[in-house]
Amino acid sequence: MESRNPAFRGSAFDQRGGGYGGAAYAAPGYAPAATRAMTMDDVVVRGFLTLVTLVATAALAWALVPTARAAPVLVVALIAEIGIWAFIAFGRKANAATVLAFAAVYGVVVGIVSHSYNDIYHGVVFQAVVGTALAFGATLAVYALRIVRVTPKFARFVMAAGLALIGLMLVNWVVYLFGGDHGIGIRDPGNPLAYVFSVVAILVGCFFLLLDFDAVETGVRTGAPEKFAWYCAFGLVLSLVWIYLEILRLLSYFSGRD
């Protein structure tokens, strides 16, 4: 089975030499010798554990990291997060230890960022959490009702849109570093482009969730190994945090500074 979720598609799910790729799932009478098939309960439990880990470390970072040390701690956490993400995505190493470690480090990032936003825009974090929950529920309903069908063409579109957004963020950051007061304007509250960018980013995050739901459903239907549930949890958390951070930023544009 090849996942349509760009966060963990490709070689991570097509392990050669006795792995659990597409040919193995498609083969008649396939029955894993050493592991049972993944169930929906596996995904729910692992997703819950991953999200709880992230929320717990976010709360600890919020409460324990002083403002004066927030920047260096954030940089270290970001570097660790990227390293663990690459290890999981490209090293085919999604398991309890790696995914929960990723969630813990990512939680530190989310906690510090959330705290800084809430200090300036009081109450915006709670609003962003509610908004993320609503976005998740709405996206799940859209998927369950098959209002939007996840096809290879749709997956390619989502992948291209995600890469385009990340590319624009990098360009904005580079322009800002070399003297642009607000980069190219996609993060400037005084520029209408910033509002459009955030709305598009939220929508793309919801599209990634659709890919996650499709990966879960396909994995359960085709008898993916139990450990595939950790990849699903990994992708779901990535998508949820993407949506949360973009909603947080968008809401800050409408909030007055305290």
Side-chain angles (χ1 to χ4, degrees):
M1 184 193 74
E2 179 183 1
S3 170
R4 294 194 183 106
N5 189 332
F8 46 76
R9 67 182 304 176
S11 61
F13 295 96
D14 188 22
Q15 296 193 2
R16 296 167 176 79
Y20 46 93
Y25 289 167
Y30 169 70
T35 183
R36 65 175 178 82
M38 180 184 79
T39 66
M40 191 64 68
D41 286 344
D42 292 328
V43 178
V44 172
V45 170
R46 286 156 179 75
F48 178 76
L49 288 174
T50 304
L51 190 59
V52 166
T53 300
L54 185 144
V55 172
T57 55
L60 288 173
W62 180 310
L64 300 179
V65 177
T67 304
R69 297 183 182 178
V73 172
L74 179 63
V75 171
V76 172
L78 279 171
I79 294 172
E81 173 206 332
I82 293 171
I84 300 173
W85 171 84
F87 183 72
I88 294 173
F90 302 114
R92 312 174 187 178
K93 298 295 183 181
N95 52 46
T98 55
V99 174
L100 293 181
F102 173 82
V105 174
Y106 205 5
V108 173
V109 174
V110 172
I112 293 174
V113 171
S114 298
H115 195 183
S116 64
Y117 268 87
N118 205 66
D119 282 346
I120 301 173
Y121 312 102
H122 184 68
V124 73
V125 168
F126 176 75
Q127 296 169 16
V129 170
V130 173
T132 303
L134 292 174
F136 178 86
T139 306
L140 181 59
V142 166
Y143 182 80
L145 296 173
R146 297 297 190 264
I147 295 174
V148 175
R149 294 188 177 275
V150 178
T151 63
K153 183 176 181 180
F154 177 79
R156 289 193 296 271
F157 164 75
V158 175
M159 181 63 173
L163 290 175
L165 289 175
I166 293 172
L168 285 173
M169 292 178 194
L170 290 174
V171 170
N172 186 72
W173 181 69
V174 170
V175 172
Y176 176 78
L177 284 181
F178 285 92
D181 290 339
H182 299 289
I184 59 176
I186 61 173
R187 295 304 198 188
D188 175 16
N191 190 329
L193 185 61
Y195 296 79
V196 174
F197 183 87
S198 287
V199 170
V200 171
I202 292 168
L203 289 175
V204 170
C206 292
F207 293 160
F208 273 112
L209 268 183
L210 290 174
L211 301 188
D212 295 329
F213 297 150
D214 179 71
V216 172
E217 183 179 37
T218 304
V220 171
R221 185 179 67 249
T222 56
E226 180 185 3
K227 61 182 177 180
F228 184 69
W230 283 113
Y231 282 103
C232 294
F234 174 62
L236 285 166
V237 167
L238 280 174
S239 300
L240 280 174
V241 175
W242 170 299
I243 293 169
Y244 165 75
L245 292 176
E246 288 302 330
I247 290 178
L248 183 65
R249 184 178 288 273
L250 179 62
L251 290 174
S252 73
Y253 296 157
F254 298 96
S255 301
R257 289 174 176 262
D258 289 342

